[in-house]
Amino acid sequence: MRLYHNPRCSKSRQALALLVERNVEFEDYRYLDNGIDPDDLDILIPLEGVIRTKEVDKSLGYDLNNVEDIGKLLIDNPKALERPILIKNGHAVIGRPPENILVLLD
């Protein structure tokens, strides 16, 4: 289980706290430091709302309706990833609100 986490984000900190409170083993993945794991792209790209559109420079010409462009954007600009995101067994959920991540714990 991997939590895409930005410690500067309150929602991300809340999601992390939910996992810690429940003694869940997970990887605290600092995507701003490590980038997006290419192995996770197929899981992340289909998520509705996975891109923080305010973080996308429109002049770069990314087509947010194109799977390849979304993948390239996430690799080139990890800051554009919505957070937090919990990935478990090939499934992912955006933690907005943070309690959304609990659906993957069942």
Side-chain angles (χ1 to χ4, degrees), residues 7-24:
R8 296 186 66 203
C9 169
S10 64
K11 300 294 184 202
S12 195
R13 289 191 307 269
Q14 290 169 16
L16 182 94
L18 286 171
L19 295 174
V20 170
E21 288 168 6
R22 287 165 175 75
N23 295 316
V24 174

Side-chain angles (χ1 to χ4, degrees), residues 38-50:
D39 292 337
D40 291 337
L41 285 176
D42 288 341
I43 300 166
L44 295 171
I45 290 171
L47 282 176
E48 186 174 334
V50 73

Side-chain angles (χ1 to χ4, degrees), residues 32-74:
L32 292 177
D33 296 331
N34 302 319
I36 305 299
D37 186 322
D39 292 337
D40 291 337
L41 285 176
D42 288 341
I43 300 166
L44 295 171
I45 290 171
L47 282 176
E48 186 174 334
V50 73
I51 299 295
R52 295 174 55 83
T53 55
K54 65 182 178 182
E55 299 292 345
V56 178
D57 181 349
K58 306 283 190 255
S59 70
L60 297 177
Y62 291 106
D63 178 358
L64 299 183
N65 295 310
N66 179 293
V67 171
E68 289 180 13
D69 276 9
I70 293 171
K72 184 168 177 19
L73 171 61
L74 289 174

Side-chain angles (χ1 to χ4, degrees), residues 88-89 101-106:
K88 179 182 177 188
N89 297 331
I101 66 166
L102 300 177
V103 302
L104 292 183
L105 299 186
D106 294 335

